């Protein structure tokens, strides 16, 4: 057992008196770290069963990692497309995640996004707090934890959320500091949007719903309609995550177990490990691969595929030494749209498995559920 796990009730009580009253948790973890925090406040201590405690896991975390399927995006555009589509289907069915390489986004755009993200969180709190908001629909929102207005237990994470569509309408609200932020974030948002559209077209084809050689086939109409909605009016949310070093990382989490609302998430990581996914009942680390995206199936895609592709629980661990920065680009249907299983994927042997779902039902869920359990997809299953 890690020394950080040995925390007595007395230590927690001392923590209450010295820290609970002196820090405003709504200001975020970075603000606490800047003020020299030495222990994890009780507000951030997860129940014992939910902590990253190796003694309670089926397999130890340390040294155990998962090699995700690798999808070579360049190969999707060539003569090997059919084989890559098979690999894509296998990854979405069995892992819910894959590493996307050779994606074509210039290295400069990626590096600039990581750099301005770091620079944003390095600004004084007086600058960051200008973007604080509890409005889920705000074009820009700086905050902490998962849902800080409702979370009973906070997680060790600050974030900057940027709504990216329609870009001309929301851009004036985005941070103007650091000076390069808007330019870099716009370039990155456009590139990831374009990449998402090409990847989702391949995913629909892997489901047998979008045969590129039969564009006029009646069976492709549902997929064509979905693609058009995603491309013309689809929602894009960019979330820049900051996970500061934590004095007792075995007591808390950077993000609790959750699945992603939406169709697909494209995650850009720095070189600091932290992401874990639940695979065959074990929490396994996903090592950062330079130049790649970690792509995961969202709740909307699991619903649309009628359960064939899986939206998998994942979480984030923190460490004692290093800041971790990640940029998640979440893509889905417009916030006003309803997603349901594709008619072609509902059969006698595979009946409909999910309720109709919209953004309002998601907001209702996160307002009422416990902060340590964020599995929205389970609430949408029939029977």
């Amino acid at each position: 057992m890690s020394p950080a796990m040995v925390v007595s009730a007395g230590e927690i009580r001392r923590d209450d008196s010295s820290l609970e009253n002196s820090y405003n948790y709504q200001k975020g973890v970075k603000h606490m770290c800047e003020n020299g925090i030495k222990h994890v406040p009780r507000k951030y201590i997860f129940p014992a069963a939910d902590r990253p405690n190796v003694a309670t896991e089926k397999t130890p975390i340390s040294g155990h990692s998962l090699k995700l399927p690798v999808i070579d995006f360049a190969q999707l555009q060539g003569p090997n497309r059919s084989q890559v589509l098979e690999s894509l289907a296998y990854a979405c069915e069995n892992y819910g995640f894959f590493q996307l390489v050779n994606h074509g986004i210039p290295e400069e755009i990626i590096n600039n996004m990581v750099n301005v993200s770091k620079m944003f969180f390095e600004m004084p709190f007086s600058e960051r707090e200008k973007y604080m908001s509890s409005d889920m629909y705000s074009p820009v929102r700086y905050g902490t934890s998962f849902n800080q207005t409702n979370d009973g237990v906070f997680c060790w994470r600050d974030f900057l959320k940027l709504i990216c569509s329609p870009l001309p309408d929301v851009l004036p609200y985005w941070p103007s500091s650091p000076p390069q932020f808007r330019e870099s974030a716009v370039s990155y948002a456009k590139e990831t949007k374009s990449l998402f559209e090409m990847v989702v077209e391949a995913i629909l084809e892997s489901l047998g719903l979008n045969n590129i050689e039969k564009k006029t086939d009646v069976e492709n109409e549902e997929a064509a309609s979905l693609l058009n909605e995603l491309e013309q009016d689809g929602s894009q949310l960019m979330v820049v995550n900051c996970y500061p070093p934590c004095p007792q990382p075995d007591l808390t989490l950077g993000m609790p177990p959750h699945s992603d609302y939406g169709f697909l998430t494209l995650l850009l990581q720095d070189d600091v490990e932290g992401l874990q996914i639940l695979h065959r009942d074990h929490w396994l680390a996903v090592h950062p691969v330079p130049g790649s995206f970690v792509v995961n199936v969202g709740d909307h895609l699991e619903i649309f595929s009628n359960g064939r592709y899986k939206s998998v629980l994942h979480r984030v661990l923190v460490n004692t030494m290093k800041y971790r920065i990640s940029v998640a680009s979440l893509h889905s249907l417009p916030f006003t749209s309803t997603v349901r299983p594709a008619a072609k994927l509902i059969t006698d042997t595979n009946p409909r498995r999910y309720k109709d779902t919209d953004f309002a039902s998601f907001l209702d869920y996160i307002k009422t559920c416990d902060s340590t359990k964020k599995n929205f997809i389970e609430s949408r299953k029939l029977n």
Side-chain angles (χ1 to χ4, degrees), residues 270-282:
D270 63 10
D271 58 355
V272 180
E273 186 177 304
L275 175 65
Q276 292 188 328
I277 73 171
L278 188 63
H279 183 66
R280 298 177 181 173
D281 295 325
H282 299 289

Side-chain angles (χ1 to χ4, degrees), residues 287-298:
H287 295 305
V289 175
S292 74
F293 284 97
V294 175
V295 182
N296 63 283
V297 172

Side-chain angles (χ1 to χ4, degrees), residues 52-345:
N53 180 1
V54 295
T56 64
E57 300 289 352
K58 294 182 179 179
T59 57
I61 292 170
S62 178
H64 286 71
S65 61
L66 179 66
K67 186 175 182 180
L68 294 176
V70 176
I71 302 299
D72 188 332
F73 182 75
Q75 294 292 316
L76 272 173
Q77 317 307 315
N80 296 326
R81 184 177 179 89
S82 60
Q83 293 95 318
V84 180
L85 288 174
E86 291 179 5
S87 299
L88 186 60
Y90 179 83
C92 293
E93 287 179 8
N94 295 281
Y95 291 82
F97 278 77
F98 56 89
Q99 296 272 13
L100 187 68
V101 300
N102 295 326
H103 45 72
I105 297 182
E107 184 178 358
E108 181 182 9
I109 289 179
I110 289 176
N111 290 341
N112 286 345
M113 187 65 218
V114 173
N115 289 336
V116 296
S117 298
K118 291 178 179 178
M119 291 168 65
F120 175 85
F121 285 103
E122 288 169 356
M123 291 194 305
F125 177 73
S126 59
E127 286 293 318
R128 303 195 305 269
E129 72 173 337
K130 293 177 182 178
Y131 305 101
M132 281 190 159
S133 173
S134 59
D135 180 6
M136 300 287 286
Y137 293 93
S138 175
V140 57
R141 186 159 66 96
Y142 175 66
T144 191
S145 192
F146 197 100
N147 176 14
Q148 67 197 79
T149 60
N150 186 61
D151 289 346
V153 179
F154 274 22
C155 52
W156 203 263
R157 166 226 191 197
D158 292 344
F159 62 80
L160 178 69
K161 294 187 177 182
L162 303 169
I163 291 180
C164 303
S165 53
L167 198 52
D169 294 346
V170 298
L171 185 57
Y173 298 95
W174 285 14
S176 55
S177 296
Q180 311 95 323
F181 187 89
R182 284 188 186 175
E183 180 182 357
S184 298
V186 166
S187 296
Y188 183 80
K190 289 180 176 178
E191 290 284 350
T192 51
K193 171 72 170 177
S194 177
L195 179 61
F196 160 75
E197 291 171 357
M198 291 185 282
V199 172
V200 81
E201 183 173 337
I203 283 177
L204 293 178
E205 188 177 348
S206 74
L207 285 166
L209 296 175
N210 186 41
N211 190 326
I212 60 174
E213 297 178 356
K214 298 180 180 180
K215 285 288 188 181
T216 61
D217 196 309
V218 173
E219 291 186 340
N220 291 326
E221 289 183 0
E222 190 169 20
S225 176
L226 177 73
L227 280 173
N228 183 67
E229 194 171 12
L230 287 169
E231 293 173 4
Q232 299 300 319
D233 304 303
S235 63
Q236 179 181 5
L237 175 66
M238 204 149 66
V239 185
V240 184
N241 298 299
C242 174
Y243 304 96
C246 177
Q248 295 165 295
D250 288 340
L251 298 180
T252 189
L253 289 168
M255 283 279 276
H258 65 283
S259 59
D260 284 359
Y261 175 86
F263 217 82
L264 278 182
T265 299
L266 279 64
L267 178 71
L268 175 65
Q269 304 185 86
D270 63 10
D271 58 355
V272 180
E273 186 177 304
L275 175 65
Q276 292 188 328
I277 73 171
L278 188 63
H279 183 66
R280 298 177 181 173
D281 295 325
H282 299 289
W283 286 110
L284 301 174
V286 176
H287 295 305
V289 175
S292 74
F293 284 97
V294 175
V295 182
N296 63 283
V297 172
D299 296 342
H300 278 185
L301 179 51
E302 177 170 332
I303 291 169
F304 183 79
S305 70
N306 201 32
R308 179 176 168 185
Y309 291 173
K310 302 296 189 290
S311 179
V312 174
L313 286 177
H314 48 289
R315 68 182 187 181
V316 177
L317 272 58
V318 290
N319 68 84
T320 59
M321 300 296 293
K322 295 181 179 180
Y323 278 88
R324 179 174 182 267
I325 295 289
S326 68
V327 184
S329 188
L330 296 91
H331 301 263
S332 198
L333 294 165
F335 292 130
T336 55
S337 294
T338 298
V339 64
R340 57 180 58 88
K344 187 181 176 183
L345 300 179

